[in-house]
Amino acid sequence: MVKNPIANTMAKDEILKLLGKEEFAGLVLRHTSLLEFDLDVLLCQYFIRKDRVIEAMSNLLSLLNLSNKIEILKSISAKKNEKTRLTIITNLQAFRKVRNIVAHRWTINTTDAEMLIKNSTIKAMLKDYPQSLRASFCMTRSAIAELIKSEEYCFDDKTCLSVFEIAE
């Protein structure tokens, strides 16, 4: 595969060009949607009883935007998995920012590009597109799955298995 020309310079013009590509926008939207679903599963597993998970996902979490869900994850005080949780939060925020820009790409401007360049997580996601974006997505998804499987994020013993089965 051909490497992205913004790998070394990350020039504003090159980022603007990338943000305007439909293929890039579609990939970002798809990845962010999947990550948001995984986050929904994680939050349900942490807060909701087994018998109310499906209802919570459809009636409660559907009312929250991704930013709200990330804020909820931030509020959880993890003991064993703090580094993983913080990595997930950072990556979800990066995907959310890029998603918001490409979802409204007719409003993309140099200010948007400058903001993306200054964010080291986003810069790393774009550096060797598409490989770097895919790697960031896979790493974030794996980290969320790690928390889903952990005892620390289970409302009760029975919830862990049932909620994880929903995610697969």
Side-chain angles (χ1 to χ4, degrees), residues 12-87:
K12 285 184 275 186
D13 293 343
E14 293 166 315
I15 286 188
L16 288 169
K17 187 176 178 181
L18 181 63
L19 293 173
K21 290 184 178 181
E22 288 184 22
E23 175 190 340
F24 176 76
L27 195 57
V28 168
L29 293 170
R30 187 174 8 198
H31 285 346
T32 306
S33 293
L34 289 168
L35 291 172
E36 184 171 7
F37 176 79
D38 292 346
L39 179 58
D40 288 352
V41 171
L42 177 64
L43 294 175
C44 276
Q45 180 165 299
Y46 188 81
F47 290 109
I48 309 296
R49 282 189 350 217
K50 174 186 174 185
D51 59 332
R52 296 183 181 166
V53 169
I54 301 296
E55 187 177 0
M57 287 185 81
S58 61
N59 296 322
L60 180 63
L61 291 176
S62 64
L63 299 175
L64 300 173
N65 63 34
L66 181 55
S67 184
N68 297 138
K69 294 172 189 178
I70 293 169
E71 288 303 314
I72 292 170
L73 183 59
K74 278 184 180 179
S75 73
I76 295 172
S77 57
K79 293 177 178 82
K80 297 178 186 174
N81 299 295
E82 183 65 7
K83 185 176 178 184
T84 301
R85 186 181 68 86
L86 294 175
T87 299

Side-chain angles (χ1 to χ4, degrees), residues 76-135:
I76 295 172
S77 57
K79 293 177 178 82
K80 297 178 186 174
N81 299 295
E82 183 65 7
K83 185 176 178 184
T84 301
R85 186 181 68 86
L86 294 175
T87 299
I88 291 168
I89 290 166
T90 300
N91 289 346
L92 286 173
Q93 289 171 328
F95 271 98
R96 184 188 62 78
K97 285 177 185 174
V98 176
R99 183 217 43 203
N100 287 350
I101 290 172
V102 299
H104 307 287
R105 67 178 178 268
W106 54 87
T107 62
I108 295 172
N109 56 45
T110 56
T111 306
D112 293 330
E114 288 170 356
M115 183 268 301
L116 296 179
I117 291 170
K118 289 178 184 175
N119 184 309
S120 61
T121 304
I122 294 172
K123 189 174 179 178
M125 285 170 47
L126 303 179
K127 185 176 180 184
D128 292 316
Y129 173 79
Q131 297 88 347
S132 54
L133 183 69
R134 176 84 176 141

